[in-house]
Amino acid sequence: MPRFSAADRQTTAKTSARGPTLVAGANDSLIIREVGVFSTVATSSRVALRTITAARTAGTALDEVHHRLGQTGNANGSATQAPTTDHTFVAGFIRNVELPAAIGGGYIWVFGNEGLIIPEGTGNGICLTLPGGTDQIIDFYFDWDE
């Protein structure tokens, strides 16, 4: 089972329905292993991880990187910056955190042995959103198996 990562610095503002996104491929589910979020400013801010049921117009594509050197083939999952239109979500948050007012302060959400399973289908995925307050720029990453 190949493992992939995608990481970047947020370039487009998060909202309650937009933010850095990872969506499944049409024919492959994703098993989310970790998601990391880190502050880039000395101001606290909130970040929530939500489940997408209908992904909208994708933002700028990120590079999906193999964990195993020399492995070939593209990821079926697709990681992007914030979309240009609002996603549709399952009610509630998977995770919700207040990032500390310290550059580099952050959280790593680990999803255990089973992982967080995102079913196949191009509208299914996860998204980092702003559950309230003022958006701050974050560094983030997604790790997943396919």
Side-chain angles (χ1 to χ4, degrees), residues 16-17 48-55 87-95 116-119 123-127 129:
S16 62
L49 181 64
R50 300 186 69 188
T51 304
I52 301 168
T53 58
H87 293 310
T88 302
F89 294 94
V90 171
F93 306 135
I94 299 168
R95 299 285 191 270
L116 173 64
I117 299 172
I118 305 298
N124 301 325
I126 56 174
C127 182
T129 64

Side-chain angles (χ1 to χ4, degrees), residues 69-126:
L69 283 173
Q71 188 163 356
T72 60
N74 295 327
N76 293 307
S78 177
T80 65
Q81 288 283 352
T84 57
T85 54
D86 292 351
H87 293 310
T88 302
F89 294 94
V90 171
F93 306 135
I94 299 168
R95 299 285 191 270
N96 180 32
V97 69
E98 182 81 21
L99 291 177
I103 295 170
Y107 289 87
I108 297 172
W109 297 313
V110 179
F111 296 100
N113 190 43
E114 296 292 319
L116 173 64
I117 299 172
I118 305 298
E120 64 187 40
T122 56
N124 301 325
I126 56 174

Side-chain angles (χ1 to χ4, degrees), residues 10 12-15 18-20 46-47 128-130 135-136 138:
Q10 174 189 330
T12 305
K14 293 183 301 301
T15 69
R18 299 181 194 188
R46 290 179 63 197
V47 179
L128 297 169
T129 64
L130 177 67
D135 187 42
Q136 302 296 336
I138 62 168

